[in-house]
Amino acid sequence: MLILKKEKFVMGIDVNPKFELGDVCLTEGVVHHMRHSIMELRDIQNAIGKYAVCDWGDCSHKEWMDNDLRMKTGRAVMGRYQYWWGMLYIVTEGNRSRTFIGLSCEC
């Protein structure tokens, strides 16, 4: 797992986050996909940019509503974003100290 400090990672995102992301942790699968040019950093930045403003991506209506409630009650939230190479998942812990970015096969 690769951990990126929030200050270094969020600089590439052109949004004002609606909640604290904490440290951003990339799973081994994400790092592998980036090393082998299967995905690009801009894919991750695009997804996390949406996620940071509570756009939960390709979640169902129920999951979207659950996330909105979880935001208000301080529980973990999750977004998912479809790309040509597969599904990217983003999960932030309830205490907002860490955000994990992983592939669907790792969740």
Side-chain angles (χ1 to χ4, degrees):
M1 184 167 305
L2 177 64
I3 300 174
L4 304 171
K5 293 297 181 189
K6 178 190 73 166
E7 300 79 25
K8 293 179 183 174
F9 187 76
V10 177
M11 287 178 5
I13 302 170
D14 191 25
V15 298
N16 187 17
K18 291 188 176 182
F19 62 99
E20 183 66 37
L21 298 172
D23 291 338
V24 176
C25 306
L26 305 180
T27 63
E28 291 179 22
V30 169
V31 173
H32 172 81
H33 272 49
M34 289 178 67
R35 281 191 184 135
H36 296 287
S37 300
I38 298 169
M39 80 167 63
E40 298 179 10
L41 180 60
R42 71 177 173 197
D43 295 335
I44 296 171
Q45 289 174 324
N46 180 15
I48 198 116
K50 291 177 182 180
Y51 180 80
V53 295
C54 302
D55 176 342
W56 310 121
D58 296 299
C59 289
S60 69
H61 179 72
K62 181 183 180 332
E63 291 169 323
W64 199 291
M65 300 302 288
D66 287 347
N67 272 340
D68 289 345
L69 178 61
R70 288 170 175 270
M71 285 295 299
K72 294 175 185 171
T73 58
R75 296 183 321 196
V77 293
M78 181 268 304
R80 92 176 148 238
Y81 307 87
Q82 182 68 53
Y83 289 92
W84 68 268
W85 41 259
M87 189 74 75
L88 186 70
Y89 282 78
I90 304 176
V91 179
T92 301
E93 294 179 338
N95 65 8
R96 310 294 183 250
S97 65
R98 282 186 288 188
T99 295
F100 297 91
I101 301 176
L103 305 175
S104 58
C105 61
E106 298 176 303
C107 296

